[in-house]
Amino acid sequence: MLGPVLLAASRSAAIRRIVSGAPVTRPMVDRFVAGERLAESMAAVRGLTSHGLEVTLDHLGEDVTDRSEALRSRDAYLALTEALAGEGLGARAEMSVKLSAFGQALPGGHDVALAHVTPVVEAAAAAGTTVTLDMEDHTTVDSTLAILGELRTRFPQTGAVVQSYLFRTEDDCRALAGEGSRVRLVKGAYNEPASVAHQDKREVDRAFVRCLKILMSGDGYPMVGSHDPRMVAIAQDLGHRLGRKKDEYEFQMLYGIRPAEQERLVAEGHRMRVYVPYGTDWYGYFMRRLAERPANLAFFLRSLAGRG
Ligand SMILES: Cc1cc2nc3c(=O)[nH]c(=O)nc-3n(C[C@H](O)[C@H](O)[C@H](O)COP(=O)(O)OP(=O)(O)OC[C@H]3O[C@@H](n4cnc5c(N)ncnc54)[C@H](O)[C@@H]3O)c2cc1C
């Protein structure tokens, strides 16, 4: 019930000031965010990859309101690409970008975002890695998929994200299940209206399974982005039944969430990629993580009240 309230708060400047300024916030943020600086994210990358995990790096930022911020996002990702190239991990370390950080919501945003993200995708390819376009709220899906289509004409390895809570997503999965297509399937993390998205968690889960079946039966490379033990087991079962080898799909989880499960999947021979966010603009990301899990929120509120 509190989820939608928190998701609304994730876009409130006033609540951002209160939450960001509270001393108890920091330790909670540290659980989900690898650090504020690039060097800290690289330390996390080394730690994870030394345990056989793969990574996708997210320089935190979203909903930029002017072109100079969009340029700063581009430059941060170019610096990140250079740092990743120095680690020599190739496609074991890729990047995730939010197009709203590249100016998608500005006037003429589609072209602005495409112009700013293209050099990052080019640099990633030159460094032997790739980029996945995160999916944001439903108003951005058409533009994001169109930008994906344009990028994939030159860089077919560019990844997409689809959210099972949206009614449209089974159709999107069919359209994206072709050869060479890399698609991360997630449940969805934004506050969406009943006109476009399932509101009942069980419906979201059922839709996730239907989407998973489409992607796993297709010719692309499915990336299963979920911490849900049922979804992980169903993906393993489908992979087995459909004759996919363990390296013909991968699991993805967020930094700091179910790390033992991440290592267990690697030990079983699966590809497991950890989404590693870093940077100073962690507020929206952090609030979405609280909204996903009442236990996280309860712990945070107890801490705020000085009892936790
Ligand atoms: C790699 C990755 C990339 C993502 N990219 C996007 C994206 O581009 N766009 C988008 O809308 N969403 C994205 N998400 C978020 C996603 O949509 C869900 O909100 C999130 O993954 C929670 O759903 P779940 O499938 O883990 O299942 P849930 O049903 O929410 O959770 C299942 C179990 O996982 C554990 N768990 C889940 N969340 C948490 C948490 N915050 N803290 C602690 N434990 C938790 C708990 O054990 C819980 O019982 C991404 C998720 C992952 C893993």
Side-chain angles (χ1 to χ4, degrees), residues 181-201:
S181 178
R182 296 171 62 254
V183 185
R184 177 198 302 154
L185 173 64
V186 299
K187 292 184 186 176
Y190 294 81
N191 203 8
E192 298 291 10
S195 53
V196 299
H198 299 290
Q199 306 293 307
D200 181 333
K201 189 172 159 23

Side-chain angles (χ1 to χ4, degrees), residues 31-32 56 96 98 133-137 161-163 165 184-190 201 205 208 224-229 231 252-254 256-258 273-275 288-293 296:
R31 181 181 158 199
F32 298 116
T56 181
S96 288
K98 286 189 174 47
L133 306 183
D134 281 353
M135 196 56 86
E136 300 178 69
D137 73 67
V161 178
V162 289
Q163 301 151 316
Y165 63 14
R184 177 198 302 154
L185 173 64
V186 299
K187 292 184 186 176
Y190 294 81
K201 189 172 159 23
D205 289 356
F208 191 99
V224 185
S226 179
H227 314 94
D228 186 337
M231 300 306 142
Q252 298 192 347
M253 293 189 190
L254 301 177
I257 301 184
R258 305 199 71 207
R273 193 178 295 276
V274 182
Y275 186 103
R288 288 194 292 278
R289 301 295 79 79
L290 290 189
E292 272 156 14
R293 188 155 156 79
N296 291 344

Side-chain angles (χ1 to χ4, degrees), residues 53-274:
L53 296 147
E54 303 182 39
V55 291
T56 181
L57 274 287
D58 167 31
H59 177 260
L60 290 163
E62 52 197 275
D63 296 338
V64 303
T65 50
D66 65 52
R67 283 180 185 235
S68 60
E69 285 181 79
L71 277 175
R72 278 202 290 280
S73 294
R74 181 200 66 185
D75 292 346
Y77 271 99
L78 291 175
L80 171 60
T81 313
E82 216 176 296
L84 287 178
E87 298 293 322
L89 292 164
R92 291 183 62 210
E94 61 139 59
M95 297 181 287
S96 288
V97 306
K98 286 189 174 47
L99 289 178
S100 75
F102 286 77
Q104 191 178 34
L106 301 177
H110 180 92
D111 294 335
V112 176
L114 179 60
H116 287 97
V117 81
T118 299
V120 174
V121 176
E122 285 167 347
T129 186
T130 187
V131 168
T132 293
L133 306 183
D134 281 353
M135 196 56 86
E136 300 178 69
D137 73 67
H138 77 278
T139 63
T140 66
V141 177
D142 283 331
S143 164
T144 299
L145 292 180
I147 289 176
L148 174 83
E150 293 185 56
L151 292 170
R152 287 196 67 210
T153 58
R154 283 176 59 210
F155 303 100
Q157 66 279 23
T158 309
V161 178
V162 289
Q163 301 151 316
S164 73
Y165 63 14
L166 294 184
F167 299 142
R168 61 175 287 166
T169 296
E170 280 171 67
D171 287 339
D172 289 334
C173 287
R174 280 185 204 97
L176 289 166
E179 200 175 334
S181 178
R182 296 171 62 254
V183 185
R184 177 198 302 154
L185 173 64
V186 299
K187 292 184 186 176
Y190 294 81
N191 203 8
E192 298 291 10
S195 53
V196 299
H198 299 290
Q199 306 293 307
D200 181 333
K201 189 172 159 23
R202 282 164 308 181
E203 285 304 322
V204 177
D205 289 356
R206 284 186 200 117
F208 191 99
V209 176
R210 290 195 296 273
C211 292
L212 197 52
K213 283 184 180 156
I214 297 168
L215 295 174
M216 293 291 260
S217 323
D219 297 318
Y221 181 75
M223 306 187 280
V224 185
S226 179
H227 314 94
D228 186 337
R230 281 184 54 233
M231 300 306 142
V232 171
I234 291 170
Q236 285 178 305
D237 182 54
L238 277 173
H240 182 68
R241 282 199 282 132
L242 293 166
R244 275 188 183 262
K245 299 196 192 89
K246 282 182 180 165
D247 64 354
E248 289 175 338
Y249 64 102
E250 71 183 38
F251 291 102
Q252 298 192 347
M253 293 189 190
L254 301 177
Y255 179 82
I257 301 184
R258 305 199 71 207
E261 175 68 357
Q262 296 174 9
E263 296 205 10
R264 183 187 73 82
L265 287 166
V266 172
E268 279 188 13
H270 286 287
R271 294 186 70 177
M272 171 76 233
R273 193 178 295 276
V274 182

